[in-house]
Amino acid sequence: TTLVSFNAANGGHPYAGLVQGSDGNFYGTTYWGGNLALGGGAGLGTVFKMTPAGMLTTLVSFNAANGGHPYAGLVQGSDGNFYGTTYWGGNTSLNNGNGYGTVFKMTPAGALTTLVAFTGPDVAHPYAGVVQGSNGNFYGTTYWGGNQSVNSGNGYGTVFEMTPDGVLATLVAFTGDNGSYPYAGLVQGSDGSLYGTTSQGGSGSGGTVFRLSLSAPLNLTQQPGDLSVSL
């Protein structure tokens, strides 16, 4: 049963899947669509709500300043709000007006708050969404950024931590040897550690699986844990 056919105005080309909210509705993102006056007539993407019967409501149309082109889906936080990332947008004074991406919070009614606008040298261009840790903070990866001494100053990507009100800390800046270019997000294991992958790097240059040794409970005044990597 086809529930929704996107038509650009209500969104277009979703890369990520759906999350079912505590209200029973489904929430997701589209990479294109929304405000068709932007993005060369294709829009900069949307966040939408869909009832189980297929009634679609566009909650957010990205406009570059509040983000643009989300690859990842959403996660509903313990506060009932939804959290996600955009690959582009945010600080449009950077990156030739395109920005380096954002982390945002959205209420179930569609009120959007940009919590972080990435600045490039620190962290940049998240493909993946965020996961909320058992300590209440959010964790994610960026494909670029971090160590500016590699990759022509662009870095090989990062793992970051963000408090619910948007205070950001970079926990890992990949170096190539321990991995590079993470596409995917993170999962918190039963041991409290975070686990993830990088698409390249490592001793075989074919990518890595890594574990990050977080303090419990972690806060942004403590030192981040060490990074263990295995192929």
Side-chain angles (χ1 to χ4, degrees), residues 53-220:
M55 181 178 296
L56 187 80
T57 302
T58 301
L59 298 176
V60 173
S61 291
F62 289 105
N63 61 18
N66 66 359
H69 297 310
Y71 277 102
L74 305 168
V75 63
Q76 189 169 30
S78 58
D79 60 1
N81 294 311
F82 293 92
Y83 293 79
T85 64
T86 65
Y87 187 81
W88 298 100
N91 190 334
T92 54
S93 67
L94 302 173
N95 195 24
N96 298 315
N98 295 311
Y100 287 107
T102 70
V103 183
F104 64 85
K105 173 177 71 174
M106 186 195 74
T107 69
L112 188 81
T113 302
T114 301
L115 297 175
V116 172
F118 294 122
T119 59
D122 53 359
V123 280
H125 297 315
Y127 276 106
V130 293
V131 61
Q132 189 170 29
S134 57
N135 60 7
N137 291 332
F138 293 88
Y139 297 87
T141 62
T142 65
Y143 187 77
W144 295 86
N147 188 341
Q148 298 172 64
S149 66
V150 296
N151 192 23
S152 302
N154 294 312
Y156 285 137
T158 73
V159 179
F160 67 86
E161 177 187 34
M162 184 194 76
T163 66
D165 56 356
V167 178
L168 187 75
T170 301
L171 300 181
V172 174
F174 290 104
T175 64
D177 291 337
N178 65 359
S180 57
Y181 304 129
Y183 275 102
L186 305 167
V187 62
Q188 187 171 31
S190 58
D191 61 356
S193 298
L194 298 174
Y195 292 79
T197 62
T198 64
S199 65
Q200 298 182 43
S203 59
S205 301
T208 68
V209 179
F210 64 86
R211 177 182 65 206
L212 181 66
S213 304
L214 293 180
S215 302
L218 181 70
N219 60 63
L220 295 184

Side-chain angles (χ1 to χ4, degrees), residues 13-18 28-30 48 70-74:
H13 302 299
Y15 281 101
L18 302 168
T29 63
T30 66
F48 64 86
Y71 277 102
L74 305 168

